[in-house]
Amino acid sequence: LTSAEVHYGLARDAAMEGLSFAEAERHCEEVIKAVQDLPEQDESRDRWLIQAVELLLSLTEGRWRGQHRPAGGPDIDALAAEAEAAAKRHGPPELVVRTTLLRGKTLLATQGLVPSLAKLRAAVELAEQYGDPVPLFVARVEYGRQVSKRRLADGLAQLQEAERMYASDPRLGG
C-alpha cells in the first residue's frame, strides 16, 4: 500500500505540474498493479484504485479512439468497470456517480453508443438520487451530448435542463 501511495503522489505531481503525462501514466499503472493484489474488502485498496484509474483514464482519454487498449496501454473499460465496482462497495455517492459516468465514457469508446447510453443514463439517475447539483450537472451534460446522437429531442432536453441548472446555481459556474 505504501508503494501505491508513493506512485500516486508521483503520478499526480507529474500530471498536475505538466512534467510528463507518460510518466504520470506509468505511475498510475504501478498504483493499479500494487492495489489489485490486495483483498477487495480493503477500503484503502478501493480508494487508491479509483483515484489511479480516474487519473489514468483522464490522461489517456484523447487516445481511446475505439480501442480497449489505447496505444498498448491497459484495457480502459475493464479498469473503469473495476473502479465502478470499487466505488459501489465503499464509495460515497458522488464517487459512485463519477465512476459510473467514467464507465459510460469508456463504453462509448470501446463498445459504441448504445451500451454507453445505458450507463450514462444510470449516472444521471444516481446523481438525481444523490441530490448534489454538481455531479448531476456533469452527468446531464455528458448524457445529453451523447443521447442527442440517438434522439435529438432527448439530448436537447437534458442539455436545456443542465443549462437551467447552470443559470440557477452559482457553484456550477465555478
Side-chain angles (χ1 to χ4, degrees):
L1 200 53
T2 302
S3 171
E5 291 178 62
V6 168
H7 280 286
Y8 185 75
L10 293 169
R12 272 189 62 99
D13 289 348
M16 300 302 264
E17 295 173 15
L19 301 175
S20 169
F21 283 175
E23 183 179 334
E25 289 173 36
R26 282 191 301 276
H27 287 298
C28 286
E29 290 171 0
E30 289 299 321
V31 173
I32 293 165
K33 286 178 197 171
V35 298
Q36 283 177 329
D37 292 335
L38 297 173
E40 284 187 3
Q41 299 77 16
D42 186 335
E43 288 185 39
S44 62
R45 172 207 189 267
D46 286 341
R47 180 174 46 88
W48 287 112
L49 176 74
I50 292 164
Q51 289 176 338
V53 168
E54 282 187 307
L55 182 54
L56 178 63
L57 294 180
S58 293
L59 292 168
T60 61
E61 187 173 0
R63 299 191 320 257
W64 292 355
R65 307 267 188 253
Q67 302 173 5
H68 288 271
R69 296 178 184 273
D75 182 333
I76 60 172
D77 190 52
L79 286 177
E82 196 173 348
E84 181 185 24
K88 286 179 180 176
R89 277 193 301 273
H90 297 293
E94 182 179 346
L95 191 56
V96 176
V97 172
R98 274 199 340 251
T99 57
T100 303
L101 187 61
L102 183 61
R103 178 80 195 285
K105 292 168 75 173
T106 62
L107 284 169
L108 180 64
T110 61
Q111 295 182 29
L113 184 63
V114 175
S116 172
L117 289 178
K119 192 57 75 170
L120 294 173
R121 178 69 195 148
V124 170
E125 291 169 356
L126 287 167
E128 287 172 338
Q129 292 171 12
Y130 176 46
D132 184 337
V134 175
L136 178 56
F137 173 77
V138 173
R140 277 196 192 286
V141 169
E142 189 63 36
Y143 178 62
R145 289 178 53 230
Q146 301 308 327
V147 77
S148 63
K149 296 173 183 173
R150 185 104 173 155
R151 253 184 69 96
L152 184 59
D154 290 348
L156 289 175
Q158 290 294 322
L159 293 172
Q160 287 171 341
E161 179 58 21
E163 189 174 289
R164 185 203 60 74
M165 292 173 66
Y166 184 85
S168 66
D169 192 327
R171 291 181 300 161
L172 300 177

